[in-house]
Structure formats: structure tokens, C-alpha cells
Amino acid sequence: MQQVNPARFMDMLQRLATFGAVPGGGVAREALTISELEARRWLCSRFSAPHYRWYMDDAANLFLRRAGLADALTPVMTGSHIDTQPVGGWLDGAYGVVAGMELFLALDDAGIRTQRPLELVIWTNEEGSRFSPGAMGSSAFADPTRLADFLPVTDAGGERFEQARDAARQATPAATSRALGRPVHAYLEAHIEQGPVLEDGGFQLGIVTGIQGVRWFEISVTGVSAHAGTTPLAARHDALMSAAQLISRLGEMAAARQDPALRFTVGRLEVSPGSINTIADRVTFTIDLRHPEEAVLAEMEALIRQTVEAKTGACGYALRSLMRRPPTRFDKAVIETVAAAVSATGAPACRLGSGAFHDAMYLADVCPTAMLFVPSHKGISHNPAEDTAEADLVAGVRALAGAVITLATPANALQSTPN
Amino acid sequence: MQQVNPARFMDMLQRLATFGAVPGGGVAREALTISELEARRWLCSRFSAPHYRWYMDDAANLFLRRAGLADALTPVMTGSHIDTQPVGGWLDGAYGVVAGMELFLALDDAGIRTQRPLELVIWTNEEGSRFSPGAMGSSAFADPTRLADFLPVTDAGGERFEQARDAARQATPAATSRALGRPVHAYLEAHIEQGPVLEDGGFQLGIVTGIQGVRWFEISVTGVSAHAGTTPLAARHDALMSAAQLISRLGEMAAARQDPALRFTVGRLEVSPGSINTIADRVTFTIDLRHPEEAVLAEMEALIRQTVEAKTGACGYALRSLMRRPPTRFDKAVIETVAAAVSATGAPACRLGSGAFHDAMYLADVCPTAMLFVPSHKGISHNPAEDTAEADLVAGVRALAGAVITLATPANALQSTPN
């Protein structure tokens, strides 16, 4: 699309990165914090023409609807999220949202109104670092009955998701309320790869065929707190020592499989009471387990449970499942639409699976869905060093624009296939 | 001493436990928090007769001076601390302070003025859980040059010790400022044992002959944060996995020595960024190492350093010494004075070393010092379940009173011996 304006697009992307910018680098804009709400208000302020409308649903997902010529048809949706990890990079999520903004402004410049309405969506709490699990917004959109489980979830400071959701509503008066979960013709999400495949292969664009499966667990180890100076080693019920041994064992077990597709991460660990001279009475840690094959996930979960249960020594153990998703296969027709649009840009591209999960994972449950990747420098993400070359970012916007316009034209019927 | 009033003493002890009381049990009264400052104000309000004066020094140590008949003589000092672990018990520290309060009130009832002045002291930040290291107040009293290192120390919320110290001054207008570190004739501290020796032996009182040596370390493990879903196991620099392996190895090493006097504890561990789906880039944890013999401490420290340095894999490691104290031997003459006072109470007693460290450890550097223990139920401390039988608590107050009165009589010259 000729009207895609690289300077305007990069300006908007850099402006979005100022909300929650960390001195020295990185962005701290966790879900529904003041920084994210200010960024949402800024987004709203950019679209005031009469063919735009803002909506917010009961999960605080924010939608910018661009009216279609046949506005009663189901919309083509694009977007992503603008929440970050506690300290994340400037592109994760933000890229897909600003790409959608640029697409809409380019359509305005070109005087194009698509037949189908278009919707740009900002999903709530994709990262899951403030409120667990992640992708709450898209998950509740795909199945509104899930919202009831999310509302009472609290962040580390004790604030409920429900309170944060209500604050988001008040902070965005421009958005009209609407119900969760509406029919969508097709969903296409642009995102940074967050891995090294595209860069290593010299590709500018990636046509994403699916997302690996993921299971999240929380393990609690319960001991007895006691004085570090008076309690003999043999008489201890030391929750931190037991947790360290367990994590160490689980890590060795995962590494021993030598499966290059397996991901096993303990990223969060909390100690109570957390004092130098007191034996810990409670440690809670998380496991993030991923693999493209459901059978491997099931086998690994069985091994983890077995290892946790075998540790019947001085401490108590409890394992809780926080989230699980089987591998996702994207819609063949949407994949081919993306492939054609990518091909039209002339940028070198390949097909690949996603290592990270995305809101598109839940959308794939309810509508034909696919994703488009741009490279991540050295594969780094969830880190202030996250970056992508401008030429790649712009190529992605052009490909997204081409694919969305095709999807929004009713003559191009989607041959939807089951996931 | 006949005038020791068990009901008044227990009332004061229970009243002190209400400052920072946790619903369901335990006391949360970390150093110089609002709860501790309120408790200090309550202490001040109890002593207004003209022979009492309150003082505070530059480390926020609080002194209640009871004028002596020969007030120019150096004082006999008793006391302890009233700060607690994040959630501690009701007796750790508090017992020694309230025992001193009861001693003073009993002397008032008996119309006794000792020759030497008496001072009841509330030391600042003994626990070291809010500001590290512990025993800041008594340490700075014993060597005022240490204060400069303590003032910039921050708590988990970023508040400097200096700010907290200044707030303590403002909160206690009844106390006159005075310089750190003054000559003391003798120091005697009553405390709960925080271990099982007295209870297991059927003793009501313990004459403490010394304190085991202690070394505190902080170890930082530095990795690279990256996305949990996209980064292959073999390509990771996972600070949390490396820390778990290191703690596990150090724990095995300590246990393998099978030395019943050795104490090795990892009580605090912090993870950055601490998100489920991000590989940790930094883990910081502490080691509390104790033993009655300096040679064993030195050997263990060498082993710890060796193990940390050997882990030259994917992550970086740094070891920092936070605090170190050789084993302390108390003053023979004060020990014998305590032994005589204990004997006069008729309570079954024994001599023992202290597993925990105490403010008396630093006082022993500058004046003849000893301690008196009462039993801890099941040896439990730093825990809401911390408890001692009332009869034992009261026997301790009587023994403390007898020993302090003897020490405050100049005819009883101390035959001080080097530590």
C-alpha cells in the first residue's frame, strides 16, 4: 500500500514507547497501570473522524472500529496488546497495535473504505506478569464465561483485576461499553518474532502457521520457619533449600531430554518470610513449560508431578495448574492470504511456528486466524534490548495492510478449515 | 527481689506485643516502622518520675537512665531490642526490655536507689531484616565509626536508614539527644534462648557464656533475561536455574560435614524480573553461616567461595561479605555475678552458649558483658509460635534484678577478664 507512511508509523511507535519508559532503556507498562491507561488515552485521541468508534468490553479490551461500506458484515480484526513485562522492550505487542493504527491512517489517506468493517483491538493483560494468567482479555473474548475467574485475581499489591478493569473504564470515557465476544470474520495479528529464526535466516517477514502448546504451573513448598542460628541442619524443614533442590532436579530432567523444541522456565520465586537469619517456611515458584507437540507436554507434566511428589522429605509440596493451551494451528485460508500479501511486498520471508504465545492463540478458537512476524534482533525479547530494523517493521505494516484489505473484501471468501 | 510484680510484668509484656500484632498470631514490628515507633512512645510514657531521663543517640538507640546515688559513676546497662522479624514472635528482644522495665518499677516500689546509675537500652535494628546488617544500634554504640556505613543502607522500599533514624527522633520528643558510645560499667541482657537446650534439660534459666561466630554473605548471580517460549534451553543464561543449582550444592556441602554445631541458611532470595514467562537475569540470595569455632567458619567460607567461583558456566557470580563476627566469650566476673543471682532464685539452671547472636555480642567489645536466657518452647523463635512459660519469664526477671543490683554496688568490684 502506497499510503503507508514510514515516518508517521515510526513516530507513533516511538511515542507509544514513552508511556512507562524506563530511564536507561526499556518500558515498564504492566497491564492496566497508570502508564498503560495513559497510552490508551493517547491512542483514542488519534482517531476522531466520524467513521471511527471506540468500544470497551467487560475485560477492558479496547476496540477501534472503522466503519465498512457494508457495516452489517462481521469485521476483520487486527491488533495486539500494549501491556509489557515488569521491564520489557518497546515492540512486544506495541508493534501490532501501531501497525494497525498506521493501516487505518493509510486507508484514510487513500480514501479507501473497505466493504467489511475493520476493528483494531488492544487486548488486556497479554503478558500475565501483573495478573495471572496471561492473555486474559483475548481469552475472555473467546469464551466470556472465563471472565468470572479473572475478576477476583489480585496483583502483588493486592489489587483485584476487577478494580483495575473498572479504573480502565473510567480512564477511557471515549469508549462505549459493549458485550464480550462478538462474531469476527478473521483475525490477523502482526508481532515481533521474539526468537532468532527470521534474523538467522535473513528473512524480513514470517508467515506464522501456529503456536506451540504451553502449560503454566505454580509449586508451593511448605516448611517451618525457625531461627537460623539455633536450629541444627538435621532438624530443619527448610522450604528454600527444598525448593532449590527441586528446581535443580527439574532443570536437569528437562535438559537431559536434549529436545531443542522443549522450553522449561522457572521465572518467578517468592520466599516467606525472606529474612537473612530465618529459615524459610514457604517458597512459591512457577513453571512455564512449552512444546509444539501435545504428547510431549503431557509426558513432561507427568514427570514434573512425579518429581514433586517424590520429594516427600521434610517439606510439603503442592502443584497447581495455572494455565494450559494445546498447540494452535492457524487457519489455512488466512495463512495463504498473508502469504500472498507478503509476497506482494517483495520482502524475503519464510513460514514458521511461534515460540511465544499470543492473543491470536485464543482468537483461533473462534474465528479464522493467523499471524505475521517481523524479526527480533538476536532473538531478544522481554528485555530492554528488544529491537527490530525499521525496514522490517515497515515491510510488516505493508504486508498487514495488503492482507487485511483482501480479507475485508467479501468477494474473497475464506475457505476456513478446522484448527 | 520481693517487689518484682509478675502481674504487672506480664501486663507490660502483653501490651508491648499489641504494637504490630498480626491477626491470627505473631508480631510484625520491623526496625523503626510506625509500629516500633509507637511502642517506643509507649515505653517513654511509662517512666516520668524525676529520677528517670530518656536519651537517644545517633543510631536511634533509646536509653532510659535511672539516676544513681553516685551518678557520676559509669552505669550498669541492661536491655535488648523491640524490633522483630517481618513476622516474629512476642518475646524475642521484647522480653529483655520489659524485664528491665519491671526491674526499674520494682526498685521504685522498694524505694531502692542504686549507687551506680542504671540504664535500660532499646537497641535499634537488631534483627537486620529491614536494614542489613543486624544489630546496627549496638554495633554503632560499640564503634561509632560504623554509623557512616549504616546511614545510606536502604530497606526494600528504598527508604534509607538515615531517614528512618530521623523519623524515630521526631517520634520520640521525650528523649534528649546524646552522643554514640559512652563508657559502661557492665552490660547484662536477658533474652529467650531461641533454641531447645534449656527446655530439653528441664532448666528454667541459662547462664550464657558466649555466642557462636557468624558470617553473612550476599551472592549475586547474573544471567540474561529472555523470552521463556522462544529461547532454547542450551542457549540460556538463566540466573534462577544457576542460583538453584548453587544453593543446592552449597546445602549438600554443609550437610555432608555432619557437624551438629554448624548452621548454614539461605533465608532471602530475590529474582529479577520475576515474571512467569521471562528467564531471570538476576538472582540475589543471602547466606547465614554460624559455628562456635572461628577455624570452622574460615574453612566453610573458603569452601563457599571455591564453590561459587567454580560455577563459571553461563552466568556471572559475585560474593559480598555483609557481616562477620568471631565467636564471643563473655566476661567471667559478670558470668559469676549472674550465676550467683540465678542460684539465689532457686530455679534449675545451666550454663550454655548462644546459637543466636545478640546486641550483647557488640557490647562485649567495650565492657564486661554477659547474658541470661529463659527457655523457648520447642526451641521455636522468629515465628508466631514463639513462647515461654510465665514462671520461667518471671524467674528470669528476678535473676536479672539480683545481678543488676550487685553490679551497681561499687563494693562489688568486677574482676574483668579479656575476651
Side-chain angles (χ1 to χ4, degrees):
Chain A
M1 229 199 138
Q2 290 300 334
Q3 287 76 10
V4 165
N5 181 333
R8 174 176 60 194
F9 166 70
M10 291 304 290
D11 273 357
M12 290 193 295
L13 202 49
Q14 279 150 6
R15 177 80 167 92
L16 179 52
T18 63
F19 295 94
V22 175
V27 181
R29 193 172 60 222
E30 281 188 287
L32 306 184
T33 53
I34 288 169
S35 297
E36 202 211 321
L37 299 187
E38 284 175 354
R40 286 170 171 234
R41 273 200 297 271
W42 168 74
L43 291 177
C44 290
S45 73
R46 296 283 315 217
F47 294 88
S48 52
H51 57 295
Y52 288 113
R53 286 278 184 284
W54 286 97
Y55 297 93
M56 190 178 289
D57 67 18
D58 289 348
N61 296 314
L62 185 60
F63 302 87
L64 172 61
R65 183 178 171 99
R66 188 175 193 273
L69 294 173
D71 206 46
L73 293 177
T74 50
V76 173
M77 191 180 276
T78 188
S80 190
H81 60 95
I82 61 167
D83 67 314
T84 69
Q85 290 286 317
V87 178
W90 72 302
L91 294 173
D92 179 359
Y95 172 62
V97 170
V98 179
M101 293 169 73
E102 177 54 31
L103 159 64
F104 283 14
L105 295 173
L107 287 171
D108 288 349
D109 289 352
I112 294 177
R113 294 287 288 282
T114 53
Q115 287 289 317
R116 290 189 180 275
L118 304 181
E119 293 198 357
L120 171 63
V121 58
I122 294 98
W123 300 113
T124 297
N125 188 38
E126 193 271 349
E127 295 292 354
S129 58
R130 181 172 176 206
F131 298 103
S132 179
M136 272 186 180
S138 50
S139 164
F141 181 88
D143 179 355
T145 65
R146 290 179 182 134
L147 182 66
D149 287 341
F150 298 158
L151 292 178
V153 170
T154 53
D155 67 9
E159 188 175 343
R160 284 158 56 97
F161 175 70
E162 185 173 18
Q163 293 171 280
R165 189 266 320 251
D166 292 346
R169 280 180 170 156
Q170 288 178 359
T172 324
T176 309
S177 287
R178 76 179 196 194
L180 263 171
R182 297 159 63 91
V184 175
H185 178 64
Y187 177 72
L188 176 56
E189 179 170 352
H191 207 282
I192 57 168
E193 182 199 339
Q194 307 183 278
V197 175
L198 295 179
E199 185 174 85
D200 287 354
F203 301 110
Q204 282 195 284
L205 296 175
I207 301 137
V208 188
T209 55
I211 300 181
Q212 67 184 340
V214 56
R215 299 188 183 191
W216 281 3
F217 305 100
E218 185 184 81
I219 296 180
S220 300
V221 183
T222 309
V224 177
S225 71
H227 194 291
T230 59
T231 314
L233 294 178
R236 295 180 176 207
H237 306 266
D238 183 335
L240 183 45
M241 186 56 70
S242 296
Q245 288 164 351
L246 184 56
I247 292 168
S248 196
R249 195 156 315 163
L250 291 169
E252 281 160 21
M253 202 184 77
R257 293 180 67 95
Q258 301 192 292
D259 177 345
L262 180 65
R263 306 286 180 263
F264 174 90
T265 308
V266 176
R268 186 189 290 168
L269 184 148
E270 276 144 20
V271 185
S272 159
S275 165
I276 296 185
N277 51 351
T278 304
I279 297 162
D281 63 354
R282 193 180 174 85
V283 169
T284 305
F285 65 89
T286 55
I287 292 175
D288 176 313
L289 178 71
R290 306 195 198 199
H291 198 276
E293 291 167 41
E294 185 72 356
V296 176
L297 290 172
E299 199 184 321
M300 280 298 298
E301 175 169 345
L303 274 171
I304 290 168
R305 288 184 180 273
Q306 215 173 299
T307 309
V308 169
E309 278 155 23
K311 290 280 306 162
T312 47
C315 290
Y317 300 84
L319 184 146
R320 185 159 82 89
S321 174
L322 296 179
M323 196 258 287
R324 57 177 60 223
R325 282 289 300 183
T328 302
R329 278 180 241 295
F330 286 145
D331 182 87
K332 282 185 187 161
V334 182
I335 291 171
E336 296 312 324
T337 304
V338 173
V342 163
S343 172
T345 67
C350 72
R351 297 186 182 215
L352 77 171
S354 172
F357 65 73
H358 298 284
D359 294 302
M361 182 170 81
Y362 288 108
L363 271 291
D365 290 346
V366 291
C367 69
T369 293
M371 292 186 75
L372 173 71
F373 276 174
V374 292
S376 289
H377 179 58
K378 291 187 180 168
I380 295 170
S381 185
H382 287 190
N383 184 302
E386 180 183 277
D387 206 10
T388 302
E390 180 175 337
D392 301 346
L393 293 170
V394 171
V397 179
R398 292 192 200 282
L400 177 77
V404 166
I405 292 169
T406 303
L407 291 168
T409 306
N412 304 310
L414 277 178
Q415 297 295 327
S416 193
T417 52
N419 281 334
Chain B
M1 228 200 137
Q2 290 301 333
Q3 286 77 10
V4 166
N5 180 333
R8 174 175 59 194
F9 166 70
M10 292 302 293
D11 270 357
M12 291 193 293
L13 203 50
Q14 279 151 5
R15 177 80 167 91
L16 179 53
T18 63
F19 295 94
V22 175
V27 181
R29 194 173 58 221
E30 281 190 286
L32 306 183
T33 52
I34 288 170
S35 296
E36 202 211 321
L37 299 187
E38 283 176 353
R40 286 171 172 234
R41 274 202 297 272
W42 168 74
L43 290 177
C44 290
S45 73
R46 295 285 314 216
F47 293 88
S48 53
H51 57 294
Y52 287 113
R53 287 276 184 284
W54 286 96
Y55 296 94
M56 190 178 289
D57 67 18
D58 288 349
N61 296 314
L62 185 60
F63 302 87
L64 172 61
R65 184 177 171 98
R66 187 176 194 272
L69 295 174
D71 206 45
L73 293 177
T74 50
V76 173
M77 191 180 276
T78 188
S80 189
H81 60 95
I82 60 168
D83 67 314
T84 68
Q85 291 286 317
V87 178
W90 71 302
L91 295 173
D92 179 359
Y95 172 63
V97 170
V98 179
M101 293 169 73
E102 177 54 31
L103 158 64
F104 282 15
L105 295 173
L107 288 172
D108 288 348
D109 289 352
I112 295 177
R113 294 289 288 281
T114 53
Q115 287 289 316
R116 291 188 178 276
L118 303 181
E119 292 198 356
L120 171 64
V121 58
I122 293 97
W123 300 112
T124 297
N125 188 39
E126 193 271 349
E127 295 291 353
S129 57
R130 181 174 175 203
F131 298 103
S132 178
M136 273 187 179
S138 50
S139 165
F141 182 88
D143 179 355
T145 66
R146 290 179 182 136
L147 183 65
D149 288 341
F150 298 158
L151 292 178
V153 170
T154 52
D155 67 9
E159 188 174 345
R160 284 159 53 98
F161 175 70
E162 184 173 18
Q163 292 172 279
R165 189 264 322 250
D166 292 345
R169 280 180 169 156
Q170 288 177 0
T172 323
T176 308
S177 285
R178 79 179 195 193
L180 262 172
R182 298 159 63 91
V184 175
H185 178 64
Y187 177 71
L188 177 57
E189 180 170 351
H191 207 283
I192 56 168
E193 181 198 340
Q194 307 184 277
V197 176
L198 295 179
E199 184 174 87
D200 288 354
F203 301 110
Q204 281 195 286
L205 297 174
I207 302 138
V208 188
T209 56
I211 299 181
Q212 66 183 342
V214 57
R215 300 188 183 190
W216 281 4
F217 305 101
E218 185 183 82
I219 296 179
S220 298
V221 182
T222 309
V224 177
S225 71
H227 194 290
T230 60
T231 315
L233 294 179
R236 297 181 175 205
H237 306 266
D238 183 335
L240 183 45
M241 186 55 72
S242 295
Q245 287 164 352
L246 184 56
I247 293 168
S248 196
R249 194 156 317 162
L250 291 169
E252 280 160 22
M253 203 184 77
R257 293 180 68 94
Q258 300 193 292
D259 177 346
L262 179 65
R263 306 285 179 264
F264 174 89
T265 308
V266 176
R268 188 189 288 170
L269 185 149
E270 276 144 21
V271 184
S272 159
S275 166
I276 296 186
N277 51 351
T278 304
I279 296 162
D281 63 355
R282 192 180 175 86
V283 169
T284 306
F285 65 90
T286 56
I287 292 176
D288 176 314
L289 178 70
R290 307 195 196 198
H291 198 275
E293 290 167 43
E294 186 71 356
V296 177
L297 290 172
E299 199 183 320
M300 280 298 297
E301 176 169 344
L303 274 171
I304 291 169
R305 287 184 182 273
Q306 215 172 300
T307 309
V308 170
E309 279 155 23
K311 289 281 307 163
T312 47
C315 290
Y317 299 85
L319 184 146
R320 185 160 82 89
S321 173
L322 295 180
M323 197 259 286
R324 57 178 59 223
R325 283 287 301 183
T328 301
R329 277 179 243 295
F330 286 144
D331 182 87
K332 281 186 188 161
V334 182
I335 291 171
E336 295 312 323
T337 305
V338 173
V342 163
S343 172
T345 66
C350 72
R351 296 186 181 215
L352 78 170
S354 173
F357 66 74
H358 299 283
D359 294 302
M361 183 170 82
Y362 288 108
L363 271 291
D365 290 345
V366 290
C367 69
T369 294
M371 291 186 75
L372 174 72
F373 275 174
V374 292
S376 288
H377 180 58
K378 291 187 181 168
I380 295 170
S381 186
H382 287 190
N383 183 302
E386 180 183 275
D387 207 9
T388 302
E390 180 175 337
D392 301 346
L393 293 169
V394 171
V397 179
R398 292 193 199 281
L400 177 77
V404 167
I405 291 170
T406 303
L407 292 167
T409 307
N412 305 309
L414 276 178
Q415 299 294 328
S416 192
T417 52
N419 280 334

